[in-house]
Each structure stands twice: as C-alpha cells, then as structure tokens.
Amino acid sequence: MKTVCLDCNTVYAPDDARWARFASLGDFEVYDRTDESEIVERCAGADAVLTNKVPLSAATIAKLPGLRYIGVLATGYNIVDVKAAAAAGVAVTNIPSYSTRSVAQQVFALLLAITNRVEEYARENASGRWCRSLDFSYRLQEWHELAGKTMGIVGLGHIGAAVAAIASALGMKVAVYTSKSQAELPEEYVKMELDELFATADVVSLHCPLTDSTRNMADARRLSLMKPSAILINTARGPLVDEAALADALNEGRIFAAGLDVLCNEPPEAECPLVGARNCFITPHIAWASSEARERLFEIAFENLKAYAEGRVQNRVN
C-alpha cells in the first residue's frame, strides 16, 4: 500500500520520527505543504492519501483512479468532496473528538483575555508602569466576574458540552441552542431559540458545524440583538460569522468584544475587517493544537489507516 501525506506540517514536521509509524504500513511519502497544482502528481499511484487542509475535489478524485482511502487529519472534512469519493469507491475517515478539551480550554483563554486583560497588565508592568504607580494598584479598565453571567452555547456536541461544564464550574448560568430536548439536558441548563440566546447571553460561544443553514448565523441582524456588554466567541468555523457585520458591531461599540480562533480565510487577507477591529482578540486557529490533542490526532490517524490496511474502516464519514 502506498500512502501520501499532503500537508504533514499542520501536525508534525516531515522529519519528525513519529511519521515512521506510517511507513510500517507500506510505501509512505510525506510533504510539509502541497499546492493544489501539485496534488495529482504527488498522489499518482497512491492507494491512500492523508490531508488536513489540502482540498480533494471531485475533479481531483476523478484523476486518481487508484485512490481508495482519504484520511482527513481533522474532525471537519469539508475539504473533501465526500459524495464524489463515495461514488468512486473511496473511503473517507476523520479524527473525531480528539481536541475537545483543548478547544474548550481555548474558549476560556479567549474569554479571560477579554475580561481580565492579563497580557496587557503584564506588558504594561514589563515597561515599568507599576513601578511608577503612586498607588498600590491601578486599573486599565473595569472588569467583571463571570459568576452569575449567562454563557450562551450554540451547539451542544462534545466541545459545547465541555464548555458548558466549565462555565457551570465558574458559576455561570448556561443557555443552549441545541436539537436536544430540555428533558435531555442537565436540569440547570436552559434551552433557547437562537435569537433568544443571542439577546439573553452575556457570552455567546459557537460550537456548531458549518452548513448552508449555519453560514453567517452571526449576521448583522443577530448581532444587533446582543447586549452592548456582550462577548462573542468563535472557535468552530470562521464562516459562521459575517465578518464585516461583526467588525462594524465592535467598532461602533454595539457589542463589547469578540474572541476568535477561526476566520473565513486562513491565513486572513490583509483587508480582513476583523484584523485590527476594536476589542477583537484573534488567535491563529490554534485551539485544536495542544501537544496532547496532536498526539491523540496522530494516534487516531494511524489507527484509521491501519484498520483500512487490515480490511476494516473506522471513523468513516461517507
């Protein structure tokens, strides 16, 4: 079996010794990055392809008649035309639930960066501001406890549930938009419709997949429902948010802040309206990437491919 990994650098560098495990399953070629123009040439003759962000379209799959397996090195698999793959007899697998704890932690890293401004205080004090202070303490801005505030969670899958548990531990009230019934939820969680949740919550955290119905769910109309003191957190998919509408809401002070780990284009274009927007805290799609999460991803990716080589398919999405 010949396997090609198209963009290993998203997980580990190509010379990382971990990749030797894949070579134990047959011929293995690994590339740090692959341009779309290089996909067909590099995958020629491959039985299996591993990809994180390199797209495999219907047209590309049609040019790879020997391909029988695509292993997506992520939970989301929208970079693969799964219907075209199924029609061509190509199994597509993903890596479910490997980053739940990491993403949940990043939600609160973003939230606390907004509310507590630890980095700003550390930067000010490194330049001597506290040394120059006439008082024992100083404040850059007013800040508030999270206890008693409402965390609105859109989507109560593994990550949404983990975020809800942390919010509860911090003394926050939890409101959820979910397909689950109220009877299926913990007694203290309150199910709400989406507009009600945006209007009610002090913090709205997005944890739903990107579909035609969820694209731009945080649009100008829905953002207008939020409190001026509210915070929007997005660690799910960039296109869940109308970026221009969010930038306007932030710059005009109609909502307080946003914490984003994902954007519509990654890396963002220079003219992205959220880059430099008021009170917009952006991290470069790192919520999934703790050392522990990447180890889990790698292990599941290997086990997925090993299962396929043994005539079984696990974590198939098509």
Side-chain angles (χ1 to χ4, degrees):
M1 181 175 70
K2 178 182 177 180
T3 301
V4 175
C5 181
L6 294 173
D7 54 350
C8 73
N9 217 49
T10 57
V11 184
Y12 296 114
D15 59 354
D16 192 292
R18 293 175 180 87
W19 294 111
R21 291 188 67 192
F22 284 87
S24 70
L25 300 176
D27 294 339
F28 183 62
E29 295 178 8
V30 58
Y31 299 95
D32 57 354
R33 299 173 184 85
T34 297
D35 186 79
E36 287 191 44
S37 64
E38 300 172 312
I39 298 172
V40 173
E41 180 182 356
R42 289 183 172 181
C43 295
D47 304 283
V49 170
L50 305 179
T51 180
N52 189 325
K53 291 293 181 285
V54 178
L56 292 169
S57 65
T60 298
I61 292 169
K63 294 176 183 177
L64 300 170
L67 185 63
R68 288 294 173 264
Y69 175 90
I70 298 171
V72 180
L73 301 175
T75 301
Y77 47 88
N78 54 302
I79 47 97
V80 177
D81 188 322
V82 292
K83 290 183 179 179
V90 179
V92 180
T93 66
N94 74 335
I95 316 290
S97 305
Y98 74 94
S99 64
T100 297
R101 291 185 286 275
S102 294
V103 176
Q105 181 173 318
Q106 183 70 4
V107 168
F108 288 91
L110 287 165
L111 181 54
L112 291 170
I114 292 167
T115 59
N116 290 45
R117 306 284 177 145
V118 172
E119 184 178 358
E120 291 180 53
Y121 280 108
R123 186 169 56 244
E124 289 289 325
N125 292 339
S127 67
R129 178 164 176 170
W130 200 9
C131 299
R132 298 188 299 269
S133 177
L134 299 177
D135 301 307
F136 81 97
S137 179
Y138 67 91
R139 292 184 298 280
L140 293 175
Q141 67 171 41
E142 294 297 321
W143 67 283
H144 302 277
E145 295 177 349
L146 293 175
K149 305 297 189 297
T150 297
M151 170 68 87
I153 297 171
V154 180
L156 203 65
H158 292 294
I159 296 173
V163 170
I166 297 171
S168 292
L170 289 171
M172 300 183 76
K173 303 170 186 175
V174 174
V176 296
Y177 174 74
T178 176
S179 59
K180 296 179 174 67
S181 69
Q182 181 67 59
E184 295 176 277
L185 302 177
E187 185 177 353
E188 64 273 20
Y189 295 2
V190 178
K191 179 174 178 172
M192 293 185 178
E193 293 302 317
L194 197 55
D195 283 358
E196 181 187 9
L197 184 145
F198 269 76
T200 301
D202 298 290
V203 182
V204 174
S205 193
L206 306 181
H207 299 288
C208 56
L210 177 63
T211 65
D212 290 342
S213 62
T214 62
R215 186 178 298 274
N216 285 334
M217 65 156 44
D219 57 9
R221 184 193 68 80
R222 203 158 268 138
L223 292 169
S224 72
L225 302 175
M226 298 180 73
K227 302 173 182 178
S229 58
I231 297 167
L232 178 69
I233 305 288
N234 186 14
T235 56
R237 291 289 182 267
L240 297 174
V241 175
D242 181 328
E243 292 185 342
L246 177 57
D248 288 344
L250 291 168
N251 291 330
E252 295 168 11
R254 288 186 277 110
I255 68 172
F256 178 62
L260 311 172
D261 187 56
V262 288
L263 293 173
C264 291
N265 294 300
E266 297 174 352
E269 298 168 353
E271 59 270 22
C272 173
L274 290 170
V275 175
R278 171 190 170 275
N279 270 0
C280 191
F281 293 67
I282 302 173
T283 52
H285 204 144
I286 60 167
W288 66 278
S290 69
S291 294
E292 294 83 359
R294 285 184 294 125
E295 287 283 359
R296 286 191 291 268
L297 182 154
F298 186 88
E299 184 63 29
I300 297 169
F302 176 77
E303 291 299 328
N304 282 351
L305 185 61
K306 183 171 180 283
Y308 168 74
E310 294 171 349
R312 301 176 289 111
V313 182
Q314 62 183 30
N315 295 318
R316 186 169 185 167
V317 297
N318 69 333

